[in-house]
Amino acid sequence: MDAQLKKGFLEFCVLASLKNKDSYGYQIVKDVSRYIEISESTLYPILKRLEVSGCVITYTEQHKNRLRKYYRITDKGIESIRCFLGEWKEIQSIYEYIKGEMEDE
C-alpha cells in the first residue's frame, strides 16, 4: 500500500484498536497488524500525536514487576473515528471513479 495512503489509515486503526479496551504498544501492534502492517517504531509517534491532540490518554500500571504504559481512547478519539466513517462514502466515490477510469482502458 502507498505510504501516504497507509499513514492516513493507521491513526484510525490505532484508535479503533482502543475502542473496546485500553491497551499497550506491543498489543496494539499485534491487533492492528492483522489488518495493516505497522511496526512499533511507526506506532509510538502515532500514539504521541493522538495523545497531544487529545484523542488518547495514557496511564501506567505495574505488570510483572515493571511499569507498562497503557493508552485509553477519549471521547474526542471516538468522535474522530465517527468523522472518518462519515467521510467513507466520499472515499468510496473516489475509489469507484478511479476503478471506472481503469476499466475504460
Side-chain angles (χ1 to χ4, degrees):
M1 178 182 284
D2 176 71
Q4 286 296 92
L5 186 58
K6 180 180 174 181
K7 182 180 177 186
F9 285 114
L10 280 174
E11 285 190 14
F12 296 106
C13 290
V14 169
L15 287 172
S17 76
L18 297 171
K19 174 70 175 64
N20 294 317
K21 65 183 183 329
D22 298 355
S23 195
Y24 55 96
Y26 179 73
Q27 185 62 50
I28 295 169
V29 168
K30 282 177 51 177
D31 293 342
V32 171
S33 289
R34 290 184 230 157
Y35 304 98
I36 188 169
E37 184 181 334
I38 187 171
S39 65
E40 288 187 58
S41 63
T42 300
L43 174 66
Y44 288 107
I46 290 170
L47 287 168
K48 187 64 177 171
R49 275 196 307 276
L50 291 171
E51 184 179 12
V52 168
S53 70
C55 290
V56 300
I57 58 172
T58 62
Y59 63 94
T60 56
E61 278 190 7
Q62 186 118 8
H63 177 77
K64 296 185 179 178
N65 296 323
R66 295 179 61 199
L67 287 179
R68 178 181 278 172
K69 189 173 189 176
Y70 284 85
Y71 298 86
R72 175 179 294 150
I73 193 168
T74 63
D75 290 342
K76 185 174 181 180
I78 292 169
E79 185 58 32
S80 181
I81 293 172
R82 286 190 181 122
C83 287
F84 169 76
L85 294 174
E87 295 170 348
W88 190 250
K89 285 190 182 216
E90 183 180 350
I91 294 167
Q92 285 177 307
S93 176
I94 294 166
Y95 170 84
E96 292 299 328
Y97 167 72
I98 295 168
K99 182 180 173 188
E101 290 300 313
M102 292 304 294
E103 290 172 351
D104 290 344
E105 288 187 2

